[in-house]
Amino acid sequence: MKQLKLLLAVTLLCSSCFSQTKSFIQLDSIFTLLHGQNQFNGEVFIAERGKIIFNKGYGFANEETKSRINGKTIFELASCSKQFTGAAIVLLKREGKVNYTDKLSKYIPELKFWEDVTIYDLLRHTSGIPDFIFSMDNNWDPQKIASNDDVITFYSSRKDTLEFKPKTAHRYSNTNYVLLASIIERVSGKKYGEYLADNIFKPLGMNNTFVYNRRKKAKKIENYAIGYVWAYNSFTKVTMENPEYNEQRVYYLDGVEGAAKVNSCAEDIYKWILALHSNTLLSQREFEEMTEITQTTAGSPIPYGFGLDLRKSENKMAFGHTGSWDGYSTLIYHDSIKDRTIIILENFNQGANAVTNVFEILDGRPLTMEYEKKIDIEEPIFIQFTGTYADEEGNEHIITYKDKHLIYNSNVAQWDMRFFPYAKNEFFAIRQGGRNGVLRFSKLDNGDIKLEMLEYGSLIGQGTRRNKS
């Protein structure tokens, strides 16, 4: 009997090892493919039931030094920073220093004209406050790095009206979390980053997590991932403010904190998820408040808690967030029922996260073709499709060729969107988040070439290029 039990235990162990090995191979093959097709550069970390089942980096953290990405590589978390801002407000409420129903004007009287906005509204994006990223676009000196106080002064001088009455709608606005960070500072007497470090990062052993403004206060950080984009009409990676890309917004907003600017690594983020899952930092009641799905005054559900997107049903409870800023793309996801954590950190703005395939592999479901596989074709095949395609409304779709890719632009916008071939007349887009996009070409009887632009299989645009002969 003992031998039978031992044999059964060994069989189950081998079966489990085989399953995990198979999952690892499948996951690795997906991200290796994407990396090879310029669709992924970053870190993938997956854990289930308290065990790390996948932890691997792809590509370089720094294009100059060629240092490689690993589980301890530090990335800017972009909007995934908001969950830490939300948790800090929970801790301040525990200390009796704030209440969720308090009005914004109690802590930031400069904005008293937004009288009906509460801390709850800021946390859940029901305030109606406009997004500072867009408001300051053409109304700020791009040579000056703004701070949270500058954002407050900017709005206090303009006295912008709210976009809707608080609680009547749910609309994401980064300004909400900038103001929450300012409330944290005014109430605690500490800098935003200092408060997070003292009350969240250090207690949880998140030793590689901190608030960092890499343009305002640059410093040397070991194993740090630089955020990259492609220079226009090139496959050279540059930072966004580089003249070859020239996005100055990331420079002059570098000092604004709360909605972004937390930097961390996958292993530290997992410590944070474990703390939330086990109520190590927050009590069960506090966590339930943080992840409560509420409603607008019209009864529409608000699937957003305190810096967390929420998915709840009879058999599901999941929370997390995504982020995109300054060449970084981030995803943090935790399924409380399956005790499954997925962390994907990228330092390339056109990265794909392949979450559909990740879920399929982890759940043992058949794999779908989420991303097409690149094929090798000769340069003349690319060249035959270049040119200007016009539609009946006068729109022009401009196709050029560069390094085994077609590049799409139009007469109204510089899209600089790259496409690789997966068939001799069909090309797949390299887009942020891996969004589906296809260029399909077909030759007409009169020698003209027809262009069809598809997104998730639906036609979104088309044009014809007249026969060059």
Side-chain angles (χ1 to χ4, degrees):
M1 188 67 177
K2 289 183 178 179
Q3 289 180 328
L4 180 61
K5 288 183 177 178
L6 178 61
L7 179 61
L8 180 61
V10 171
T11 302
L12 290 173
L13 178 61
C14 290
S15 175
S16 174
C17 291
F18 174 76
S19 177
Q20 288 187 12
T21 302
K22 181 180 178 182
S23 295
F24 187 98
I25 292 172
Q26 288 181 308
L27 290 164
D28 187 40
S29 67
I30 292 292
F31 287 99
T32 298
L33 172 70
L34 293 176
H35 177 64
Q37 297 181 170
N38 292 315
Q39 292 176 281
F40 187 82
N41 198 92
E43 170 73 15
V44 184
F45 180 104
I46 301 172
E48 280 194 338
R49 307 293 179 188
K51 294 182 179 180
I52 299 170
I53 63 173
F54 193 85
N55 184 10
K56 188 172 180 180
Y58 300 82
F60 298 128
N62 187 309
E63 291 291 322
E64 293 184 6
T65 65
K66 303 303 181 186
S67 58
R68 301 198 70 86
I69 291 169
N70 57 53
K72 288 184 169 59
T73 301
I74 299 167
F75 295 75
E76 152 77 59
L77 298 188
S79 286
C80 283
S81 303
K82 290 180 173 69
Q83 56 202 278
F84 300 105
T85 305
I89 293 293
V90 175
L91 295 175
L92 287 172
K93 180 180 181 294
R94 179 195 293 175
E95 296 174 33
K97 294 182 178 179
V98 301
N99 284 303
Y100 301 140
T101 55
D102 288 343
K103 291 188 175 182
L104 167 65
S105 58
K106 177 178 179 180
Y107 305 100
I108 308 180
E110 302 98 305
L111 304 178
K112 61 184 178 181
F113 48 90
W114 289 336
E115 179 59 30
D116 294 331
V117 175
T118 67
I119 289 180
Y120 258 142
D121 293 319
L122 299 176
L123 290 165
R124 292 171 174 160
H125 294 298
T126 57
S127 70
I129 294 175
D131 198 313
F132 78 99
I133 293 177
F134 306 107
S135 298
M136 296 177 73
D137 240 357
N138 299 310
N139 299 284
W140 187 259
D141 179 359
Q143 303 303 313
K144 178 185 177 183
I145 297 179
S147 66
N148 286 40
D149 285 343
D150 287 325
V151 174
I152 292 171
T153 300
F154 175 80
Y155 280 116
S156 67
S157 64
R158 287 163 48 105
K159 294 181 172 54
D160 289 30
T161 57
L162 298 177
E163 295 179 339
F164 55 85
K165 185 177 179 180
K167 300 179 183 61
T168 62
H170 166 70
R171 186 180 302 165
Y172 193 91
S173 172
N174 287 285
T175 313
N176 292 322
Y177 277 75
V178 174
L179 298 178
L180 286 169
S182 294
I183 291 172
I184 291 167
E185 292 189 336
R186 294 187 181 193
V187 168
S188 69
K190 297 182 177 182
K191 292 292 186 182
Y192 169 73
E194 183 184 358
Y195 186 85
L196 294 190
D198 290 345
N199 294 275
I200 299 176
F201 305 150
K202 291 178 183 177
L204 296 182
M206 299 171 66
N207 300 322
N208 293 308
T209 305
F210 44 83
V211 174
Y212 179 45
N213 315 91
R214 68 185 178 100
R215 295 171 181 82
K216 186 176 182 180
K217 296 180 180 179
K219 57 184 178 181
K220 183 175 176 57
I221 300 173
E222 294 296 327
N223 203 4
Y224 188 78
I226 303 295
Y228 291 107
V229 294
W230 272 322
Y232 283 112
N233 196 37
S234 166
F235 287 90
T236 300
K237 288 182 178 179
V238 298
T239 56
M240 293 188 79
E241 75 273 30
N242 186 294
E244 294 183 73
Y245 190 83
N246 200 32
E247 171 57 87
Q248 296 305 310
R249 183 189 287 169
V250 297
Y251 173 80
Y252 66 75
L253 295 181
D254 185 68
V256 182
E257 302 169 345
K261 293 302 165 187
V262 173
N263 288 246
S264 188
C265 64
E267 293 181 7
D268 268 16
I269 295 169
Y270 186 50
K271 293 177 182 178
W272 159 250
I273 294 296
L274 287 175
L276 291 181
H277 183 77
S278 61
N279 300 125
T280 302
L281 179 71
L282 306 180
S283 69
Q284 181 62 30
R285 181 175 179 180
E286 288 171 331
F287 180 68
E288 287 173 355
E289 289 177 325
M290 188 175 182
T291 57
E292 181 185 5
I293 292 182
T294 54
Q295 294 182 334
T296 65
T297 53
S300 299
I302 303 172
Y304 195 95
F306 299 178
L308 292 169
D309 286 307
L310 307 172
R311 299 291 183 271
K312 286 185 179 182
S313 64
E314 186 176 335
N315 300 311
K316 190 176 187 64
M317 164 52 188
F319 61 86
H321 214 284
T322 58
S324 176
W325 181 252
D326 197 8
Y328 299 93
S329 181
T330 57
L331 179 146
I332 300 173
Y333 172 90
H334 180 72
D335 185 325
S336 296
I337 305 300
K338 296 180 179 180
D339 192 9
R340 172 187 292 169
T341 301
I342 300 171
I343 301 166
I344 301 177
L345 307 175
E346 304 180 64
N347 64 325
F348 174 52
N349 77 322
Q350 297 297 331
N353 54 38
V355 289
T356 297
N357 285 159
V358 169
F359 286 138
E360 288 170 343
I361 292 169
L362 296 178
D363 293 333
R365 293 184 278 124
L367 274 174
T368 58
M369 183 61 75
E370 187 174 3
Y371 300 103
E372 299 290 348
K373 185 175 181 180
K374 182 180 179 180
I375 65 169
D376 188 32
I377 61 177
E378 298 299 320
E379 186 172 300
I381 299 178
F382 288 95
I383 300 298
Q384 69 176 322
F385 298 128
T386 61
T388 299
Y389 294 76
D391 62 22
E392 294 179 353
E393 285 75 40
N395 299 308
E396 293 183 346
H397 309 288
I398 304 165
I399 307 297
T400 55
Y401 168 74
K402 185 80 173 181
D403 296 340
K404 297 280 187 176
H405 291 74
L406 293 180
I407 301 180
Y408 172 83
N409 286 287
S410 76
N411 61 333
V412 295
Q414 187 177 17
W415 294 98
D416 200 49
M417 192 181 301
R418 327 302 169 82
F419 291 78
F420 62 78
Y422 68 95
K424 287 191 174 182
N425 69 323
E426 295 188 1
F427 298 77
F428 195 82
I430 300 175
R431 302 176 68 186
Q432 188 176 59
R435 291 186 63 198
N436 180 283
V438 169
L439 297 181
R440 178 187 295 158
F441 299 90
S442 54
K443 291 186 177 180
L444 305 179
D445 292 339
N446 63 358
D448 293 350
I449 296 181
K450 181 179 181 181
L451 164 66
E452 293 177 296
M453 303 165 58
L454 301 101
E455 188 173 64
Y456 296 101
S458 298
L459 185 67
I460 60 171
Q462 58 186 324
T464 304
R465 192 202 72 191
R466 301 303 176 190
N467 188 349
K468 292 182 177 181
S469 61

